[in-house]
Amino acid sequence: MSKYSMWKYGERVAVGVSGGKDSLSLLYILKKIIDRHGGSKNDLIAVTIDEGIKGYRDESLEIVKSFCTKLSVQNKILSYKDLFGVSMDEAMVLRPSEKMSSCSMCGTFRRRAIDLAAESVDADIVATAHNLDDQVQTYMINLLAGDVERIGWMYPKPIEYAAGMKKIKPFVELYEHEIVFYALQRQFPFQSEECPYMKESIRTDLREFFNKLEGEHPGIKNNAYVSMMKVSERLRSSFMGPRGDKKCKICGRDSTGEVCSVCKTTRSLLRHASQTDR
Ligand code: SF4
Ligand code: ZN
């Protein structure tokens, strides 16, 4: 965290906590740091997003609630249904075609939902538990989608966005298996159930691909990460202006185009719903 100056004493952090091993470990470690350095109880809040996936999210909501109670950390829960008018289960039925994949819709909604949750609790920082494996996979997803601009935003040094808020990823240089080991060793009660929609994501294929490579060539994932972040840093500094100079004409939030990805997604879902109603 200090390498990229992610967090200063006294800054209030909203941590995205899903109930998985990574986010529970992150919450636990940040709480430990606050306690050790005499921080205040108000410096940390867990924000949890309920996507509305039956049989999957219910287990994790309970896990997060009891974990937060044990740590004496406040937990704020927001749902897609309340924020965007549709749950993930509904979005899967309403989507115009399978080309609109579950995880791309869900990822778009989740990023916005965490921002809204963090703003609603006056946080200075949003922390998420993305690890090195996630980062390598995301780089490839953006590359394969032709989304070069997003690659520039992946570099871990935080940038200020939306009313001075920063986004940080403290686990970005840790392998996924290191965090699993930490969570198991601490006996965290993390979620075991898999999302029923995860098979649609190219991320699963990329995870298997990189794990296979790592098994045959130890260290290759870290090499890939280092190279990818060099590219990301160059992209960020070479052709990107400050974030937030363009606003979505529907919701008024930061956007790279005229309409932000959240409004595009909800519009497309609602349009398809009204066509099928006719
Ligand atoms: Fe959402 Fe995809 Fe994760 Fe399921 S696997 S919770 S659809 S991002
Ligand atoms: Zn918008």
Side-chain angles (χ1 to χ4, degrees), residues 249-265:
K249 67 177 185 190
I250 297 177
C251 67
R253 297 185 68 90
D254 293 352
S255 171
T256 47
E258 283 219 322
V259 177
C260 74
S261 49
V262 172
C263 291
K264 266 189 209 149
T265 307

mmCIF file with all atom_site columns, all heavy atoms in Angstrom, residues 249-265:
data_model
loop_
_atom_site.group_PDB
_atom_site.id
_atom_site.type_symbol
_atom_site.label_atom_id
_atom_site.label_alt_id
_atom_site.label_comp_id
_atom_site.label_asym_id
_atom_site.label_entity_id
_atom_site.label_seq_id
_atom_site.pdbx_PDB_ins_code
_atom_site.Cartn_x
_atom_site.Cartn_y
_atom_site.Cartn_z
_atom_site.occupancy
_atom_site.B_iso_or_equiv
_atom_site.pdbx_formal_charge
_atom_site.auth_seq_id
_atom_site.auth_comp_id
_atom_site.auth_asym_id
_atom_site.auth_atom_id
_atom_site.pdbx_PDB_model_num
ATOM 1   N N   . LYS A 1 249 ? -24.992 11.876 -20.385 1.00 0.00 ? 249 LYS A N   1
ATOM 2   C CA  . LYS A 1 249 ? -26.121 12.808 -20.552 1.00 0.00 ? 249 LYS A CA  1
ATOM 3   C C   . LYS A 1 249 ? -27.390 12.298 -19.866 1.00 0.00 ? 249 LYS A C   1
ATOM 4   O O   . LYS A 1 249 ? -28.359 13.033 -19.746 1.00 0.00 ? 249 LYS A O   1
ATOM 5   C CB  . LYS A 1 249 ? -26.363 13.110 -22.028 1.00 0.00 ? 249 LYS A CB  1
ATOM 6   C CG  . LYS A 1 249 ? -26.844 11.943 -22.852 1.00 0.00 ? 249 LYS A CG  1
ATOM 7   C CD  . LYS A 1 249 ? -27.125 12.387 -24.271 1.00 0.00 ? 249 LYS A CD  1
ATOM 8   C CE  . LYS A 1 249 ? -27.725 11.242 -25.055 1.00 0.00 ? 249 LYS A CE  1
ATOM 9   N NZ  . LYS A 1 249 ? -27.828 11.458 -26.451 1.00 0.00 ? 249 LYS A NZ  1
ATOM 10  N N   . ILE A 1 250 ? -27.377 11.039 -19.413 1.00 0.00 ? 250 ILE A N   1
ATOM 11  C CA  . ILE A 1 250 ? -28.572 10.526 -18.714 1.00 0.00 ? 250 ILE A CA  1
ATOM 12  C C   . ILE A 1 250 ? -28.436 10.670 -17.197 1.00 0.00 ? 250 ILE A C   1
ATOM 13  O O   . ILE A 1 250 ? -29.284 11.252 -16.538 1.00 0.00 ? 250 ILE A O   1
ATOM 14  C CB  . ILE A 1 250 ? -28.835 9.058  -19.100 1.00 0.00 ? 250 ILE A CB  1
ATOM 15  C CG1 . ILE A 1 250 ? -29.132 8.984  -20.599 1.00 0.00 ? 250 ILE A CG1 1
ATOM 16  C CG2 . ILE A 1 250 ? -29.987 8.468  -18.277 1.00 0.00 ? 250 ILE A CG2 1
ATOM 17  C CD1 . ILE A 1 250 ? -29.337 7.601  -21.132 1.00 0.00 ? 250 ILE A CD1 1
ATOM 18  N N   . CYS A 1 251 ? -27.335 10.140 -16.642 1.00 0.00 ? 251 CYS A N   1
ATOM 19  C CA  . CYS A 1 251 ? -27.231 10.157 -15.177 1.00 0.00 ? 251 CYS A CA  1
ATOM 20  C C   . CYS A 1 251 ? -26.314 11.260 -14.655 1.00 0.00 ? 251 CYS A C   1
ATOM 21  O O   . CYS A 1 251 ? -26.287 11.522 -13.457 1.00 0.00 ? 251 CYS A O   1
ATOM 22  C CB  . CYS A 1 251 ? -26.774 8.790  -14.657 1.00 0.00 ? 251 CYS A CB  1
ATOM 23  S SG  . CYS A 1 251 ? -25.091 8.388  -15.127 1.00 0.00 ? 251 CYS A SG  1
ATOM 24  N N   . GLY A 1 252 ? -25.525 11.862 -15.546 1.00 0.00 ? 252 GLY A N   1
ATOM 25  C CA  . GLY A 1 252 ? -24.650 12.969 -15.135 1.00 0.00 ? 252 GLY A CA  1
ATOM 26  C C   . GLY A 1 252 ? -23.353 12.546 -14.481 1.00 0.00 ? 252 GLY A C   1
ATOM 27  O O   . GLY A 1 252 ? -22.590 13.386 -14.010 1.00 0.00 ? 252 GLY A O   1
ATOM 28  N N   . ARG A 1 253 ? -23.083 11.233 -14.469 1.00 0.00 ? 253 ARG A N   1
ATOM 29  C CA  . ARG A 1 253 ? -21.838 10.794 -13.845 1.00 0.00 ? 253 ARG A CA  1
ATOM 30  C C   . ARG A 1 253 ? -20.714 10.726 -14.887 1.00 0.00 ? 253 ARG A C   1
ATOM 31  O O   . ARG A 1 253 ? -20.960 10.818 -16.085 1.00 0.00 ? 253 ARG A O   1
ATOM 32  C CB  . ARG A 1 253 ? -22.048 9.423  -13.190 1.00 0.00 ? 253 ARG A CB  1
ATOM 33  C CG  . ARG A 1 253 ? -23.071 9.480  -12.058 1.00 0.00 ? 253 ARG A CG  1
ATOM 34  C CD  . ARG A 1 253 ? -23.169 8.168  -11.359 1.00 0.00 ? 253 ARG A CD  1
ATOM 35  N NE  . ARG A 1 253 ? -21.947 7.857  -10.632 1.00 0.00 ? 253 ARG A NE  1
ATOM 36  C CZ  . ARG A 1 253 ? -21.710 8.194  -9.373  1.00 0.00 ? 253 ARG A CZ  1
ATOM 37  N NH1 . ARG A 1 253 ? -22.621 8.849  -8.685  1.00 0.00 ? 253 ARG A NH1 1
ATOM 38  N NH2 . ARG A 1 253 ? -20.577 7.858  -8.795  1.00 0.00 ? 253 ARG A NH2 1
ATOM 39  N N   . ASP A 1 254 ? -19.469 10.552 -14.374 1.00 0.00 ? 254 ASP A N   1
ATOM 40  C CA  . ASP A 1 254 ? -18.316 10.468 -15.285 1.00 0.00 ? 254 ASP A CA  1
ATOM 41  C C   . ASP A 1 254 ? -18.547 9.397  -16.339 1.00 0.00 ? 254 ASP A C   1
ATOM 42  O O   . ASP A 1 254 ? -19.074 8.319  -16.033 1.00 0.00 ? 254 ASP A O   1
ATOM 43  C CB  . ASP A 1 254 ? -17.045 10.089 -14.498 1.00 0.00 ? 254 ASP A CB  1
ATOM 44  C CG  . ASP A 1 254 ? -16.636 11.184 -13.540 1.00 0.00 ? 254 ASP A CG  1
ATOM 45  O OD1 . ASP A 1 254 ? -17.228 12.273 -13.602 1.00 0.00 ? 254 ASP A OD1 1
ATOM 46  O OD2 . ASP A 1 254 ? -15.724 10.939 -12.746 1.00 0.00 ? 254 ASP A OD2 1
ATOM 47  N N   . SER A 1 255 ? -18.125 9.708  -17.550 1.00 0.00 ? 255 SER A N   1
ATOM 48  C CA  . SER A 1 255 ? -18.344 8.744  -18.624 1.00 0.00 ? 255 SER A CA  1
ATOM 49  C C   . SER A 1 255 ? -17.283 8.950  -19.697 1.00 0.00 ? 255 SER A C   1
ATOM 50  O O   . SER A 1 255 ? -16.787 10.065 -19.882 1.00 0.00 ? 255 SER A O   1
ATOM 51  C CB  . SER A 1 255 ? -19.740 8.975  -19.202 1.00 0.00 ? 255 SER A CB  1
ATOM 52  O OG  . SER A 1 255 ? -19.918 8.218  -20.365 1.00 0.00 ? 255 SER A OG  1
ATOM 53  N N   . THR A 1 256 ? -16.933 7.869  -20.405 1.00 0.00 ? 256 THR A N   1
ATOM 54  C CA  . THR A 1 256 ? -15.972 8.047  -21.494 1.00 0.00 ? 256 THR A CA  1
ATOM 55  C C   . THR A 1 256 ? -16.716 8.445  -22.778 1.00 0.00 ? 256 THR A C   1
ATOM 56  O O   . THR A 1 256 ? -16.140 9.040  -23.669 1.00 0.00 ? 256 THR A O   1
ATOM 57  C CB  . THR A 1 256 ? -15.164 6.749  -21.739 1.00 0.00 ? 256 THR A CB  1
ATOM 58  O OG1 . THR A 1 256 ? -16.068 5.663  -21.787 1.00 0.00 ? 256 THR A OG1 1
ATOM 59  C CG2 . THR A 1 256 ? -14.133 6.526  -20.660 1.00 0.00 ? 256 THR A CG2 1
ATOM 60  N N   . GLY A 1 257 ? -18.005 8.116  -22.873 1.00 0.00 ? 257 GLY A N   1
ATOM 61  C CA  . GLY A 1 257 ? -18.796 8.502  -24.053 1.00 0.00 ? 257 GLY A CA  1
ATOM 62  C C   . GLY A 1 257 ? -19.955 9.386  -23.645 1.00 0.00 ? 257 GLY A C   1
ATOM 63  O O   . GLY A 1 257 ? -20.031 9.837  -22.496 1.00 0.00 ? 257 GLY A O   1
ATOM 64  N N   . GLU A 1 258 ? -20.888 9.601  -24.580 1.00 0.00 ? 258 GLU A N   1
ATOM 65  C CA  . GLU A 1 258 ? -22.057 10.446 -24.285 1.00 0.00 ? 258 GLU A CA  1
ATOM 66  C C   . GLU A 1 258 ? -22.954 9.831  -23.211 1.00 0.00 ? 258 GLU A C   1
ATOM 67  O O   . GLU A 1 258 ? -23.534 10.509 -22.397 1.00 0.00 ? 258 GLU A O   1
ATOM 68  C CB  . GLU A 1 258 ? -22.898 10.599 -25.557 1.00 0.00 ? 258 GLU A CB  1
ATOM 69  C CG  . GLU A 1 258 ? -22.328 11.573 -26.549 1.00 0.00 ? 258 GLU A CG  1
ATOM 70  C CD  . GLU A 1 258 ? -23.421 12.390 -27.189 1.00 0.00 ? 258 GLU A CD  1
ATOM 71  O OE1 . GLU A 1 258 ? -24.494 11.826 -27.455 1.00 0.00 ? 258 GLU A OE1 1
ATOM 72  O OE2 . GLU A 1 258 ? -23.191 13.597 -27.392 1.00 0.00 ? 258 GLU A OE2 1
ATOM 73  N N   . VAL A 1 259 ? -23.069 8.478  -23.299 1.00 0.00 ? 259 VAL A N   1
ATOM 74  C CA  . VAL A 1 259 ? -23.891 7.756  -22.323 1.00 0.00 ? 259 VAL A CA  1
ATOM 75  C C   . VAL A 1 259 ? -22.982 6.736  -21.623 1.00 0.00 ? 259 VAL A C   1
ATOM 76  O O   . VAL A 1 259 ? -22.207 6.052  -22.268 1.00 0.00 ? 259 VAL A O   1
ATOM 77  C CB  . VAL A 1 259 ? -25.053 7.017  -23.035 1.00 0.00 ? 259 VAL A CB  1
ATOM 78  C CG1 . VAL A 1 259 ? -25.877 6.205  -22.047 1.00 0.00 ? 259 VAL A CG1 1
ATOM 79  C CG2 . VAL A 1 259 ? -25.944 8.016  -23.764 1.00 0.00 ? 259 VAL A CG2 1
ATOM 80  N N   . CYS A 1 260 ? -23.071 6.669  -20.306 1.00 0.00 ? 260 CYS A N   1
ATOM 81  C CA  . CYS A 1 260 ? -22.173 5.772  -19.566 1.00 0.00 ? 260 CYS A CA  1
ATOM 82  C C   . CYS A 1 260 ? -22.613 4.311  -19.742 1.00 0.00 ? 260 CYS A C   1
ATOM 83  O O   . CYS A 1 260 ? -23.729 4.024  -20.185 1.00 0.00 ? 260 CYS A O   1
ATOM 84  C CB  . CYS A 1 260 ? -22.156 6.149  -18.088 1.00 0.00 ? 260 CYS A CB  1
ATOM 85  S SG  . CYS A 1 260 ? -23.638 5.686  -17.206 1.00 0.00 ? 260 CYS A SG  1
ATOM 86  N N   . SER A 1 261 ? -21.730 3.399  -19.366 1.00 0.00 ? 261 SER A N   1
ATOM 87  C CA  . SER A 1 261 ? -22.009 1.980  -19.606 1.00 0.00 ? 261 SER A CA  1
ATOM 88  C C   . SER A 1 261 ? -23.196 1.472  -18.770 1.00 0.00 ? 261 SER A C   1
ATOM 89  O O   . SER A 1 261 ? -23.936 0.595  -19.203 1.00 0.00 ? 261 SER A O   1
ATOM 90  C CB  . SER A 1 261 ? -20.760 1.134  -19.350 1.00 0.00 ? 261 SER A CB  1
ATOM 91  O OG  . SER A 1 261 ? -20.208 1.489  -18.128 1.00 0.00 ? 261 SER A OG  1
ATOM 92  N N   . VAL A 1 262 ? -23.391 2.057  -17.585 1.00 0.00 ? 262 VAL A N   1
ATOM 93  C CA  . VAL A 1 262 ? -24.525 1.626  -16.747 1.00 0.00 ? 262 VAL A CA  1
ATOM 94  C C   . VAL A 1 262 ? -25.847 2.012  -17.431 1.00 0.00 ? 262 VAL A C   1
ATOM 95  O O   . VAL A 1 262 ? -26.763 1.192  -17.568 1.00 0.00 ? 262 VAL A O   1
ATOM 96  C CB  . VAL A 1 262 ? -24.446 2.261  -15.339 1.00 0.00 ? 262 VAL A CB  1
ATOM 97  C CG1 . VAL A 1 262 ? -25.709 1.982  -14.535 1.00 0.00 ? 262 VAL A CG1 1
ATOM 98  C CG2 . VAL A 1 262 ? -23.230 1.765  -14.597 1.00 0.00 ? 262 VAL A CG2 1
ATOM 99  N N   . CYS A 1 263 ? -25.926 3.268  -17.891 1.00 0.00 ? 263 CYS A N   1
ATOM 100 C CA  . CYS A 1 263 ? -27.165 3.722  -18.550 1.00 0.00 ? 263 CYS A CA  1
ATOM 101 C C   . CYS A 1 263 ? -27.391 2.962  -19.857 1.00 0.00 ? 263 CYS A C   1
ATOM 102 O O   . CYS A 1 263 ? -28.527 2.640  -20.198 1.00 0.00 ? 263 CYS A O   1
ATOM 103 C CB  . CYS A 1 263 ? -27.132 5.228  -18.790 1.00 0.00 ? 263 CYS A CB  1
ATOM 104 S SG  . CYS A 1 263 ? -27.218 6.174  -17.260 1.00 0.00 ? 263 CYS A SG  1
ATOM 105 N N   . LYS A 1 264 ? -26.291 2.671  -20.577 1.00 0.00 ? 264 LYS A N   1
ATOM 106 C CA  . LYS A 1 264 ? -26.439 1.895  -21.821 1.00 0.00 ? 264 LYS A CA  1
ATOM 107 C C   . LYS A 1 264 ? -27.030 0.522  -21.510 1.00 0.00 ? 264 LYS A C   1
ATOM 108 O O   . LYS A 1 264 ? -27.936 0.052  -22.197 1.00 0.00 ? 264 LYS A O   1
ATOM 109 C CB  . LYS A 1 264 ? -25.055 1.685  -22.464 1.00 0.00 ? 264 LYS A CB  1
ATOM 110 C CG  . LYS A 1 264 ? -24.712 2.720  -23.495 1.00 0.00 ? 264 LYS A CG  1
ATOM 111 C CD  . LYS A 1 264 ? -23.432 2.294  -24.212 1.00 0.00 ? 264 LYS A CD  1
ATOM 112 C CE  . LYS A 1 264 ? -22.688 3.517  -24.681 1.00 0.00 ? 264 LYS A CE  1
ATOM 113 N NZ  . LYS A 1 264 ? -21.263 3.391  -24.722 1.00 0.00 ? 264 LYS A NZ  1
ATOM 114 N N   . THR A 1 265 ? -26.526 -0.113 -20.461 1.00 0.00 ? 265 THR A N   1
ATOM 115 C CA  . THR A 1 265 ? -26.991 -1.463 -20.110 1.00 0.00 ? 265 THR A CA  1
ATOM 116 C C   . THR A 1 265 ? -28.449 -1.437 -19.676 1.00 0.00 ? 265 THR A C   1
ATOM 117 O O   . THR A 1 265 ? -29.267 -2.217 -20.171 1.00 0.00 ? 265 THR A O   1
ATOM 118 C CB  . THR A 1 265 ? -26.107 -2.060 -18.981 1.00 0.00 ? 265 THR A CB  1
ATOM 119 O OG1 . THR A 1 265 ? -24.752 -1.976 -19.394 1.00 0.00 ? 265 THR A OG1 1
ATOM 120 C CG2 . THR A 1 265 ? -26.463 -3.497 -18.685 1.00 0.00 ? 265 THR A CG2 1
#
